Amino acid sequence: RVPVAVGDASGSGVHLKRSLLEIQPDGGDLSRLAVQIRLGTTPERILLDFVGRHAELSLLNDWISNKVSQRWALSGEGGRGKSAIAYAFARTVSRRVDHGIEGVFWMSAKRRRFVEGSTVFVDRPDFWNKDSAISEILRFFGEAQNGEEDGEGKVLTLLSSIPCLLIVDDIDTVEEEGEDAIQFLVMTVPERTKSSVLVTSRRAIFGMANLTTQVRGLTTHDAEDFIRSRCDLMGLQANQILTLKDKLLEVTDSSPLFMEDLLRLCQTGLDVEKVIGLWAEKRGIEARKYAIQREYDQLDDDAKQVLLAPSVYGSCDAEILCHGLYWDEERLLSALQQLKKMFLMPSTTKTSAYALGQNTQLLVRDVFSRSEAYRRTERSIKAAAGSLKTSNPENYHVIGLLNQARQLAHQRRLVEAEARLEEAISQFPGRSDLYASLAWVQKKAKNYASARMYFQRAHDLGSCNTDGYWHWSEMEASLKEWNTSAKAAELGLERNQSDQGLLFRLGYALHRQGRELIAEGDIEKGIKLSRRAGNYLEKARKFGNQAERNYSLLYQIYRAIVLNLEAIEDIKSLPQTFSLWKEDCPADDVCETERLRLLRKYPQLPIG
């Protein structure tokens, strides 16, 4: 006697309790399975519950008969009936003798079921990793695993000597630590035994593209049969409901799970058309919540964040997503590809923006809006899009934290300052001022790579604080990274085009680049860059003495103009520049120092 374990087939609305089923003699032939199902009802009634799916069942029967491969998969969105099809196929196999199968074993990794309008959690799935899968198969054969015995070898021996059909439901539910179970059940068992494996999965399984049946919503004909069967079970008038069949299929996406839930609402006695409207607006949300939560559980952390992001802001382009999530495009595209394989993200729109369907967007927001992951993603995406609004109490609190961090930094207690800011970032994600201050602390600690990263992060989150861009550009200049210094100043000027300090930083960085090109012999390009630098420096000069930074910013601007004119040997412009410098900055001793230096270099220069 070989036991048969059966799991859950919620995709058709038939909810099978996990139980052990035994082979019983059938006409003296012990190799055939007469499946007995303990559900408080008869096997015949269960058969009446399942309708249609002839194409899918035909493909599976061809597979098990022709043995083209020892493995096959049913793949598709949640609620489409994958588990129900697999279960119906198991019953078919159990009643045939022409395929060499001596046992049918159902094992499920399912952690949630949708039962009568509610999500039910499965406390203990049949397996969750390779070891638990091996133990479950040994129990199926009535074998115990003793001590350090080779359980894997024993399972492979049993599945070779007694060819079985293993149906593995919801195999993609196993967590990362359970990936070894997928490898064992999908690859090892079919390759090293005489048994066959059928898996159900929401995602496409790697290497099985040609061995997969895609399960979609019910066809129109099957949907009619399904509606009639459920109406019969629920005591409803099928003909009346079928007059609104098209609307019913539209709001349920022809999903048998959703259709059954809608029909259950009809049992309250409400008008069918009203039920369809009510289910679409409110009642159907429970079925959809169940489906989206299960699909969300299958995603890795990156794909989860990308799923949440468009639900926060609607249509998002790649730049907003990359800035909000702090990823590069390669990482983003990888996560998007996973969502497309799970049928959660449609193709890009004509505007190259990424968006969920309207219903999916509302659903994701409704299911996850109270989660910490959603809160963090919401703040970061809104910040990157320039729409993050913070409350006055939060702002007052953050200002206090920033002041504390600055005081610690001025006292050279940089590690404490950094820790204070990182804690604040965790508490208030998406705030560019926190990242800019953290970058400034890292700059003081001479952790330039980290400082550069946090300055960029502050910009990506929409920082308009010109001091942050000044410190970034100044840091790069101190490292003689003139191109990066110029870029930092340009980013700041995108947010404030009339900031004198950033105009100076950009002009000075371009001047240094131009001077180096001239020294290297690329005179034409160097002069062109220097003239561009002069334009920015002149624009900065005309603002007067707008800011105090260590010593007068205007002093630095005049000196940079003089050095730039010297680099391109514009002798004629020097006298007027020195005259303006002396007039605007009479207390600047550097003016006289530079005048004497240039007189020695150019004795003929009329700057006496």
Side-chain angles (χ1 to χ4, degrees), residues 338-412:
Q338 186 181 164
L339 291 177
K340 290 175 183 178
K341 286 183 179 179
M342 295 282 287
F343 315 103
L344 290 169
M345 178 73 74
S347 301
T348 56
T349 64
K350 293 180 180 179
T351 59
S352 298
Y354 298 96
L356 303 174
Q358 184 177 4
N359 289 336
T360 304
Q361 178 183 343
L362 294 173
L363 180 63
V364 170
R365 189 182 298 166
D366 186 53
V367 173
F368 300 107
S369 61
R370 287 175 290 278
S371 69
E372 177 63 16
Y374 188 91
R375 183 186 78 88
R376 298 184 69 84
T377 302
E378 178 183 30
R379 288 181 63 101
S380 296
I381 293 297
K382 284 186 174 180
S387 61
L388 177 63
K389 291 179 172 46
T390 54
S391 65
N392 285 333
E394 176 184 324
N395 293 334
Y396 293 143
H397 187 53
V398 169
I399 289 171
L401 293 173
L402 290 173
N403 288 334
Q404 292 173 27
R406 291 191 190 103
Q407 290 172 10
L408 290 169
H410 286 312
Q411 297 168 18
R412 303 304 298 174

Side-chain angles (χ1 to χ4, degrees), residues 10 27 51 99 113 137 181 193 247 302 318 324 327 335 355 358 371 405 468 488 500 505 509 520 603:
S10 59
V51 297
H99 43 51
R113 294 187 294 135
I137 296 172
T193 74
K247 287 186 178 180
D302 281 3
W327 295 352
Q358 184 177 4
S371 69
Q500 183 186 31
R505 291 251 61 104
E520 292 168 3

Side-chain angles (χ1 to χ4, degrees), residues 134-145:
I134 288 172
S135 298
E136 187 71 10
I137 296 172
L138 288 174
R139 281 195 293 272
F140 164 60
F141 284 107
E143 298 282 346
Q145 187 171 356

Side-chain angles (χ1 to χ4, degrees), residues 22-51:
E22 295 184 346
I23 292 181
Q24 295 186 352
D26 185 13
D29 185 355
L30 294 178
S31 67
R32 293 189 60 196
L33 301 183
V35 182
Q36 303 294 315
I37 305 176
R38 297 204 300 259
L39 292 172
T41 184
T42 64
E44 289 75 16
R45 187 57 178 265
I46 293 296
L47 282 176
L48 285 174
D49 285 348
F50 183 86
V51 297

Side-chain angles (χ1 to χ4, degrees), residues 93-275:
V93 171
S94 72
R95 283 162 170 72
R96 292 171 51 190
V97 294
D98 59 344
H99 43 51
I101 298 295
E102 297 185 24
V104 177
F105 176 38
W106 181 291
M107 56 193 298
S108 176
K110 193 183 294 285
R111 295 180 183 273
R112 289 183 179 86
R113 294 187 294 135
F114 187 73
V115 181
E116 296 184 356
S118 300
T119 300
V120 177
F121 289 89
V122 178
D123 292 334
R124 190 175 184 277
D126 295 335
F127 74 98
W128 52 93
N129 57 20
K130 180 180 176 181
D131 289 341
S132 58
I134 288 172
S135 298
E136 187 71 10
I137 296 172
L138 288 174
R139 281 195 293 272
F140 164 60
F141 284 107
E143 298 282 346
Q145 187 171 356
N146 301 317
E148 297 182 1
E149 181 183 26
D150 180 13
E152 179 177 348
K154 193 170 185 179
V155 163
L156 295 177
T157 299
L158 286 166
L159 291 175
S160 291
S161 59
I162 307 175
C164 293
L165 168 62
L166 271 67
I167 299 180
V168 187
D169 190 33
D170 265 18
I171 194 169
D172 52 336
T173 300
V174 294
E175 306 294 340
E176 287 186 6
E177 61 270 21
E179 289 291 329
D180 56 354
I182 297 177
Q183 175 71 23
F184 177 69
L185 293 168
V186 175
M187 302 299 293
T188 304
V189 169
E191 290 175 357
R192 296 178 56 184
T193 74
K194 296 180 180 179
S195 294
S196 299
V197 177
L198 172 65
V199 300
T200 72
S201 170
R202 278 173 180 71
R203 69 183 77 184
I205 298 177
F206 181 75
M208 292 188 65
N210 297 325
L211 303 171
T212 297
T213 298
Q214 189 66 49
V215 178
R216 307 185 188 280
L218 293 172
T219 64
T220 302
H221 182 268
D222 282 353
E224 289 184 9
D225 289 345
F226 183 85
I227 291 170
R228 291 184 188 279
S229 73
R230 291 305 179 271
C231 288
D232 180 53
L233 290 172
M234 298 177 186
L236 300 172
Q237 294 296 318
N239 291 337
Q240 181 184 5
I241 291 173
L242 286 172
T243 60
L244 297 170
K245 175 191 64 180
D246 292 341
K247 287 186 178 180
L248 188 153
L249 296 183
E250 180 181 357
V251 298
T252 60
D253 291 331
S254 299
S255 161
L257 177 71
F258 298 164
M259 290 165 64
E260 183 178 38
D261 191 54
L262 185 150
L263 292 172
R264 189 178 294 109
L265 191 57
C266 292
Q267 290 181 293
T268 61
L270 292 173
D271 175 75
V272 178
E273 189 164 10
K274 186 174 182 179
V275 166

Side-chain angles (χ1 to χ4, degrees), residues 452 472-482 484-485:
R452 185 177 295 118
W472 184 6
S473 182
E474 182 187 47
M475 179 189 77
E476 302 294 358
S478 71
L479 300 172
K480 293 183 170 50
E481 294 290 344
W482 307 116
T484 313
S485 177

